[in-house]
Amino acid sequence: MTRSTLSRRRWLAGTATAAALAASPGRLLAASSAEPDVLVLGAGLAGLNAALNIQDAGFRVRVLEGSERIGGRLYTAPAETVPGYPELGGSGIGRHYARILYAAERFGVELRGQRPRTEARPNDVVYLVNGASVLPEDWPTHAANPFRREADRQRKVHLFQYSVYRDNPLPRGELSAWQTGDYAEHDISVFEFLSRQGLSPAEIRLAAGTNMSYGSTAHDLSMLMGYQSGNLIRSLYEGNSTFSGGALAAVGGNQRIPEAMAKGLEDPVLTGRLVRAIDVRDDKVVVHDSSGQRFEAAHCIVTLPFSALRHVKLNRYAGPRQAKAIAELAYTPVFQVHLTPRFAYWEKDGLPPSMWTDSLPGRCMALRNDLSEPDKVTSCVAFINGTMAQYLDRMAPQAAADAVVAELARLRPATKDAFDVRLVFSWNRSLVAGGAYAYWQPGQITEFSRELRAAAGRLHFAGEHTAVVNRGMEGAMESGERAAIDVLGQLI
């Protein structure tokens, strides 16, 4: 990270703190009070960043976490379970993630080159599509390629990513434009957009409906969300050498970042506090957990994904559109099967070790997470999105893993008896998550994107789903900072 980026990040982090201390220089004594000034629900990146900003301003904060661990949807598989610290959630740290980079430096977490999860190295993947095994270089002319237009045939198997750059109507550099309401005509389904481009249902099924990064099908994802993600990347990276060098990852796994952040809190995070009710009153907020214990403070920041929050009894909303957002905002289904190879199956058939399939295993990627042996395959992960993930969620975990391994053997006989199942994980089954990350369905950005993060009296909202500029990890950090500034504006 450059000195200028660090300086800017320190300034951004310090604005809320400086304002609080200038207006209330004696407020540092608040830490000696028995009760917190602010409750924060959720010990993911959003909650921890909010808590640290509030604590830096001299106020006392208490963080409640529903699960038994720190990190939220930033989750690294234990090394004793899967070698190489593969990520279950939160894979790459973009070079523009200023808040994440600053937190890693502040709390002593070493960052190195990214360890990819769902994207293979160049020439390290084979497409198992339409019953055929196809190398990327053979894809443009292969009979399994369903695309009719020559330009589409020449591209990678998953075409949707090209549209978010090529056809993007959002102004470069205007990273909040997607929520202004000026682009509502693009708040349509990806399926409708690609149909207007002349693609057939069969082409769309492969171009956007298979191995979806967001959503479940091409029908339930807003094209405007795709444009927002594309506008962020092209605005920051195209023609800009500042962020060159590729994504980063924390040594020992990205979960080490929120764990280190939590250690910076004066009051330890209270884990295992599954929230059941939030009572917003005129003078305070009272939170009840599953054990029957209650916590109260002048303000509360809730960072729970809406898929979890909709199961909490909440007595106040900022308005009907926020209530609808909490009830309806969707989260991407993600199911993972982590495997270790018993032998080098790729040497048996001469094909690359990673597989992009249009079937049950989704993207089965060979991971190379040993820093001392960068070419060694340490494990494989079948990363499964959308309807396939929902299908597997209806099975017992072992039965689901067996089905994935059996399908791999059918698609690629060299993998028969090649895998040991090490970990089966579903974000959809998690009580505190209910899915991997938020996505916007057609029409939702226009309907309630600007209202869902509004404060409901003394209740404030954060989490990656409330971010405006960024997505993923940096979006979570952005939202926590914004919520902290809102709270400090009322506390001072």
Side-chain angles (χ1 to χ4, degrees):
M1 181 168 50
T2 65
R3 182 178 299 274
S4 60
T5 301
L6 239 186
S7 298
R8 181 176 180 274
R9 176 64 194 109
R10 286 194 178 113
W11 179 84
L12 286 170
T15 53
T17 301
L21 295 181
S24 184
R27 202 62 184 87
L28 283 172
L29 296 176
S32 64
S33 171
E35 292 298 329
D37 298 294
V38 182
L39 287 171
V40 174
L41 308 184
L45 291 173
L48 293 170
N49 197 34
L52 287 165
N53 272 277
I54 291 167
Q55 177 179 280
D56 288 346
F59 293 86
R60 185 162 185 170
V61 60
R62 177 169 292 150
V63 180
L64 308 180
E65 167 57 41
S67 71
E68 297 294 342
R69 64 175 186 85
I70 305 295
R73 283 169 292 169
L74 205 55
Y75 192 4
T76 302
E80 61 271 19
T81 304
V82 189
Y85 303 101
E87 306 294 351
L88 306 182
S91 182
I93 298 171
R95 296 275 176 168
H96 68 283
Y97 283 13
R99 297 170 180 86
I100 288 283
L101 297 177
Y102 173 70
E105 183 187 60
R106 177 182 177 183
F107 296 106
V109 179
E110 182 182 358
L111 302 180
R112 293 189 186 177
Q114 179 189 9
R115 298 164 299 125
R117 179 178 60 190
T118 59
E119 294 295 331
R121 292 179 176 184
N123 304 316
D124 202 32
V125 65
V126 58
Y127 300 151
L128 304 180
V129 176
N130 292 330
S133 301
V134 188
L135 294 173
E137 58 266 30
D138 298 329
W139 178 248
T141 58
H142 200 280
N145 187 327
F147 299 106
R148 295 165 295 171
R149 294 184 300 212
E150 185 60 28
D152 293 338
R153 294 184 64 85
Q154 293 295 326
R155 296 188 171 113
K156 291 181 180 179
V157 64
H158 194 260
L159 289 181
F160 172 57
Q161 58 184 310
Y162 294 98
S163 296
V164 302
Y165 299 108
R166 181 190 61 202
D167 306 303
N168 202 311
L170 300 177
R172 290 175 187 258
E174 295 186 24
L175 300 181
S176 62
W178 66 293
Q179 287 194 0
T180 61
D182 295 336
Y183 299 90
E185 64 186 283
H186 303 286
D187 197 6
I188 60 174
S189 73
V190 171
F191 185 91
E192 182 177 350
F193 168 80
L194 293 176
S195 293
R196 292 177 182 179
Q197 299 296 304
L199 271 68
S200 70
E203 290 174 309
I204 295 172
R205 190 176 305 116
L206 192 62
T210 303
N211 297 330
M212 298 281 285
S213 294
Y214 293 99
S216 297
T217 72
H219 292 277
D220 76 347
L221 178 65
S222 171
M223 191 66 195
L224 187 53
M225 178 182 176
Y227 284 148
Q228 184 261 345
S229 298
N231 194 36
L232 174 65
I233 298 303
R234 70 176 185 173
S235 296
L236 291 174
Y237 285 84
E238 288 184 7
N240 186 352
S241 61
T242 303
F243 303 123
S244 62
L248 300 166
V251 174
N254 290 337
Q255 192 179 343
R256 306 295 85 84
I257 297 174
E259 289 173 344
M261 292 170 68
K263 291 178 181 177
L265 294 172
E266 294 173 5
D267 290 336
V269 173
L270 299 182
T271 58
R273 305 290 180 169
L274 194 63
V275 173
R276 293 300 190 194
I278 303 172
D279 181 12
V280 185
R281 304 180 184 178
D282 291 338
D283 60 338
K284 62 184 175 182
V285 179
V286 181
V287 173
H288 302 265
D289 73 7
S290 55
S291 70
Q293 188 168 353
R294 56 181 279 164
F295 303 85
E296 57 183 66
H299 293 271
C300 177
I301 298 174
V302 55
T303 70
L304 279 61
F306 283 176
S307 46
L309 183 60
R310 62 182 61 125
H311 301 295
V312 175
K313 184 178 180 181
L314 180 59
N315 73 325
R316 186 176 298 185
Y317 301 92
R321 289 185 179 179
Q322 184 182 77
K324 187 173 184 181
I326 292 173
E328 297 182 2
L329 187 66
Y331 284 74
T332 301
V334 171
F335 192 99
Q336 301 175 34
V337 181
H338 291 260
L339 311 158
T340 50
R342 297 172 182 167
F343 55 84
Y345 57 85
W346 51 93
E347 294 178 357
K348 191 174 180 180
D349 62 7
L351 295 173
S354 293
M355 296 163 272
W356 195 102
T357 85
D358 62 353
S359 186
L360 192 63
R363 291 162 284 184
C364 187
M365 294 295 157
L367 308 182
R368 305 173 190 269
N369 288 340
D370 188 336
L371 295 176
S372 63
E373 297 184 69
D375 292 327
K376 176 184 176 182
V377 175
T378 52
S379 68
C380 300
V381 57
F383 193 95
I384 303 154
N385 296 63
T387 55
M388 292 296 187
Q390 293 169 332
Y391 171 75
L392 292 169
D393 271 326
R394 293 194 288 270
M395 302 182 187
Q398 188 59 54
D402 291 343
V404 168
V405 171
E407 181 65 2
L408 284 172
R410 186 189 73 81
L411 294 170
R412 185 174 179 178
T415 67
K416 181 176 173 57
D417 299 322
F419 295 116
D420 287 319
V421 176
R422 301 296 292 268
L423 178 65
V424 181
F425 184 78
S426 169
W427 280 110
N428 324 314
R429 289 177 173 174
S430 168
L431 290 176
V432 296
Y437 31 76
Y439 72 93
W440 299 89
Q441 299 184 60
Q444 288 185 337
I445 294 173
T446 304
E447 184 176 13
F448 52 64
S449 65
R450 284 168 288 180
E451 284 81 8
L452 90 172
R453 61 184 174 273
R458 293 174 176 269
L459 187 66
H460 307 260
F461 296 89
E464 54 91 17
H465 52 287
T466 71
V468 177
V469 172
N470 293 282
R471 296 207 57 79
M473 286 184 257
E474 187 69 2
M477 295 286 280
E478 170 197 315
S479 74
E481 184 175 272
R482 186 254 316 145
I485 292 172
D486 289 347
V487 168
L488 289 172
Q490 296 190 31
L491 282 173
I492 296 169

